[in-house]
Amino acid sequence: MRNKVEKIAVLTSGGDSPGMNAAIRAVVRTAVGRGVKICGIRKGFTGIFEENMVEMTAESVSGIIMRGGTILYTARNKEMLTEEGPKKAAEILKANGIDGLVVIGGDGSYRGAQALSKNGVNVIGIPGTIDLDIACTRYTIGFDTAVNTAVEAIDRIKDTSTSHERVSIIEVMGRSAGYIALESGIATGAEEILIPENYEYDENKIIEAVVDNRKRGHTHHIIINAEGIGDSMGLAKRIEAATGIETRATVLGYLQRGGNPTCRDRVMASVMGEIAVKLLCEGKQNRIIAFREGGYTDLDIDEALAMKKTIPEYMVEVAETLTYHYTKENSI
Ligand code: F6P
């Protein structure tokens, strides 16, 4: 018979994302409901080395489901990338009687979790990142909130940009992935969406499109630029110099990571938190929770991390089809 799980721990790691608190709450409440002791580890993997751990109760997660950020704090830990780090972390977890660890974070955090699994710690990963760049899942906690924040900001910039008949470049986060750019660009009707996965754009064509659209009486030109391409200020200067049209760049930055999570992020984070504890209690080993093909599932951590993420082609096609591009071929 399987040994009963007595004590588990939860941590958040890497860039914070709205909805992480909802996931922590779900992990804690599910554990408490099942009679399992639950401990929160502060500051990601760093908290393991510092033994910065706190016993959690149903009350300690009261009133946090609507709050952005993470009550457990977060960090990017370099020690976990060494040979010795995960070994030491695993020993500390064992010495603290921890039977299973829930890691809420992105790809980098999963590498740490995977290293712990190789050292005998049972880990369950919950995808938490605004970037949506985890290959095994179509959903990550925080993306929905972040992309909606970006959309709201872009709408506002578009108002003032149109009034001044300017070109506006808006840079959104996403590290080396273009999901926030692609979805916020489609949602705001941007004239151009630049994403690293589709890095074949030709700056001269962008300039030509700006000039042609303007000749046709189009009074705004919104370019969504992904962080993975960057250099928005430089691009603005070059467009202005080439076209004579005032061009401004705005880097949205960290405001995309904060704020109250959307309903979708709260609910999906809650479901994933509950699944994580259930998996541990069922004796499942080293799994990553994912949302695939319209449902929740879990995958082996090594399998999940070996997957490669690609942007759905049809989304890029939709973006290109709906973009207002005046070209000689489509002129009437
Ligand atoms: O992974 C989330 C993210 O916000 C990325 O979009 C961005 O590249 C990165 O984190 C910024 O990280 P940091 O908070 O370490 O500056």
Side-chain angles (χ1 to χ4, degrees):
M1 213 179 95
R2 200 174 57 229
N3 285 342
K4 187 181 174 308
V5 171
E6 285 177 5
K7 185 177 176 186
I8 62 172
V10 57
L11 61 81
T12 47
S13 164
D16 65 330
S17 64
M20 280 184 164
N21 280 329
I24 295 168
R25 173 180 176 272
V27 168
V28 171
R29 295 235 164 130
T30 310
V32 170
R34 286 175 170 256
V36 175
K37 280 197 192 137
I38 170 81
C39 139
I41 299 176
R42 294 204 184 99
K43 298 196 276 177
F45 294 109
T46 305
I48 302 178
F49 298 107
E50 295 174 351
E51 296 198 52
N52 191 350
M53 303 177 188
V54 57
E55 198 86 9
M56 299 187 85
T57 64
E59 292 73 43
S60 60
V61 289
S62 188
I64 66 165
I65 195 166
M66 74 294 281
R67 281 170 51 197
T70 160
I71 60 160
L72 288 177
Y73 300 92
T74 186
R76 302 190 194 277
N77 184 282
K78 294 218 169 69
E79 218 175 326
M80 286 301 285
L81 303 173
T82 66
E83 183 87 19
E84 280 308 303
K87 222 180 272 175
K88 191 173 155 195
E91 277 161 20
I92 297 170
L93 289 171
K94 275 178 216 151
N96 279 276
I98 291 164
D99 301 318
L101 175 68
V102 179
V103 173
I104 308 169
D107 220 38
S109 310
Y110 284 176
R111 304 280 159 198
Q114 187 182 36
L116 280 177
S117 75
K118 304 285 176 238
N119 285 279
V121 178
N122 189 15
V123 291
I124 304 288
I126 296 182
T129 167
I130 63 164
D131 300 337
L132 193 64
D133 59 351
I134 299 174
C136 68
T137 183
R138 282 298 183 106
Y139 168 82
T140 60
I141 296 170
F143 173 77
D144 189 58
T145 308
V147 81
N148 275 294
T149 303
V151 163
E152 195 188 326
I154 296 162
D155 284 345
R156 286 167 193 253
I157 292 170
K158 192 168 174 175
D159 286 345
T160 171
S161 188
T162 307
S163 305
H164 286 263
E165 299 180 68
R166 284 174 176 155
V167 174
S168 282
I169 300 164
I170 302 150
E171 187 173 312
V172 297
M173 271 188 167
R175 201 182 289 275
S176 47
Y179 296 95
I180 298 180
L182 186 59
E183 292 208 8
S184 65
I186 292 174
T188 55
E191 276 64 33
E192 203 83 50
I193 305 170
L194 310 179
I195 56 172
E197 295 87 343
N198 196 24
Y199 195 77
E200 280 169 13
Y201 75 85
D202 173 346
E203 208 163 294
N204 290 326
K205 282 204 178 131
I206 297 174
I207 289 167
E208 213 177 287
V210 169
V211 172
D212 287 341
N213 277 3
R214 191 50 58 101
K215 272 192 206 146
R216 229 185 156 204
H218 209 52
T219 51
H220 59 258
H221 199 103
I222 302 294
I223 301 172
I224 305 301
N225 188 26
E227 174 189 13
I229 292 182
D231 188 30
S232 296
M233 304 296 167
L235 181 59
K237 278 194 192 132
R238 293 192 293 277
I239 291 177
E240 184 164 316
T243 63
I245 301 169
E246 274 190 322
T247 304
R248 299 281 192 269
T250 309
V251 178
L252 294 186
Y254 293 100
L255 72 86
Q256 294 159 99
R257 278 216 320 231
N260 297 351
T262 57
C263 175
R264 179 172 162 84
D265 277 330
R266 294 180 201 193
V267 172
M268 294 193 70
S270 298
V271 174
M272 288 183 163
E274 194 258 2
I275 294 174
V277 178
K278 257 205 314 231
L279 290 174
L280 285 172
C281 291
E282 284 166 7
K284 295 273 168 63
Q285 300 276 321
N286 306 319
R287 311 294 293 173
I288 299 290
I289 299 170
F291 189 79
R292 294 161 69 85
E293 290 154 20
Y296 297 94
T297 184
D298 54 278
L299 295 94
D300 172 75
I301 191 166
D302 297 328
E303 226 173 84
L305 290 185
M307 292 178 173
K308 294 265 169 295
K309 186 108 184 173
T310 49
I311 286 253
E313 291 244 336
Y314 67 88
M315 292 287 280
V316 177
E317 256 173 58
V318 167
E320 281 167 3
T321 305
L322 302 185
T323 297
Y324 183 92
H325 260 163
Y326 171 73
T327 61
K328 293 187 182 62
E329 294 83 60
N330 69 16
S331 67
I332 41 169

